[in-house]
Amino acid sequence: MSEMNSLDVSQQALLQLLMTKRALTDHEAQLALTDSAALGHGSPGDDVSHAFKIINRSLKMMNLEVRSTIMPGSDDNQLVHAVVNLVNDDIAKMNGTKLQPAELDVYKQAVQLIGQADESFIDVQALQVPTLKKAQMAQVLQHLVAHRWLELEEGTDNLSVGPRSYLELPDFLESNQIARSQIIYH
């Protein structure tokens, strides 16, 4: 087995933050590196893309990788980064989600409705899963948004596809008439 590449403190901090938040905008990632440099770790001019290349060398042996995408529909071509699983093995299946089948139906239905919508979002009220009570539905949506599978526009009920969906499930999205986003490999 190959030896894992060492990460410096700023790269470790960036990876830990990325794994904690599940997805980071490019701006958030750059701020994390800048803050780390201000504390004496890393260099003030550290580049996010370069840091992710180094991080990916360490993650490769675990079949994980940092990938980035430009979020479709974002006004400012927002670049978002996330750690993705590269293989669909038993470990991924066991730890991929703790959602029950009816709860997964919420995600599937949301993606299907978003794919059919004229806009790139739907109103949360459009989701109907008969086997879930309103409070359960709200919990599932909160989970999917917190884990960045779906995005809820602040101050509205507009629900759209989140960055992790674009990065980890492009085939599923495409099968539901949602265009693939541009994936950036580091």
Side-chain angles (χ1 to χ4, degrees):
M1 182 167 10
S2 67
E3 187 177 317
M4 191 160 129
N5 295 322
S6 293
L7 300 177
D8 68 27
V9 174
S10 64
Q11 294 156 353
Q12 288 176 26
L14 178 59
L15 178 58
Q16 288 173 349
L17 181 63
L18 182 59
M19 293 180 76
T20 299
K21 294 189 123 212
R22 295 183 174 82
L24 291 175
T25 64
D26 198 53
H27 179 71
E28 292 168 329
Q30 190 59 57
L31 282 176
L33 280 179
T34 302
D35 288 349
S36 188
L39 295 172
H41 308 291
S43 305
D46 279 352
D47 173 71
V48 170
S49 184
H50 178 64
F52 285 145
K53 283 179 187 174
I54 295 168
I55 290 169
N56 277 344
R57 284 188 218 129
S58 292
L59 293 176
K60 185 176 183 168
M61 69 179 278
M62 294 177 281
N63 294 316
L64 299 171
E65 180 177 78
V66 175
R67 288 190 185 161
S68 307
T69 188
I70 297 172
M71 286 298 293
S74 64
D75 295 334
D76 56 353
N77 290 325
Q78 185 179 52
L79 186 62
V80 179
H81 314 281
V83 174
V84 299
N85 192 348
L86 299 176
V87 294
N88 189 15
D89 58 6
D90 290 338
I91 295 169
K93 290 174 187 171
M94 182 176 64
N95 296 308
T97 185
K98 302 295 183 216
L99 297 176
Q100 299 301 312
E103 296 169 329
L104 282 172
D105 287 344
V106 173
Y107 175 76
K108 291 175 186 174
Q109 186 181 91
V111 169
Q112 289 168 349
L113 291 173
I114 292 166
Q116 296 166 4
D118 292 335
E119 303 288 336
S120 59
F121 62 86
I122 59 164
D123 187 301
V124 167
Q125 305 308 319
L127 294 172
Q128 303 292 324
V129 177
T131 56
L132 294 179
K133 296 178 181 168
K134 189 174 183 176
Q136 290 172 303
M137 177 76 84
Q139 282 182 322
V140 172
L141 284 171
Q142 183 179 13
H143 172 85
L144 292 169
V145 168
H147 287 80
R148 308 292 299 269
W149 294 107
L150 296 173
E151 297 269 306
L152 188 60
E153 185 180 328
E154 195 171 324
T156 73
D157 282 343
N158 295 342
L159 191 66
S160 59
V161 174
R164 289 190 60 203
S165 294
Y166 283 110
L167 290 166
E168 292 197 52
L169 301 172
D171 293 333
F172 177 69
L173 296 180
E174 196 169 57
S175 73
N176 284 285
Q177 290 73 48
I178 297 174
R180 288 179 183 255
S181 65
Q182 177 184 354
I183 305 285
I184 300 164
Y185 300 91
H186 299 282

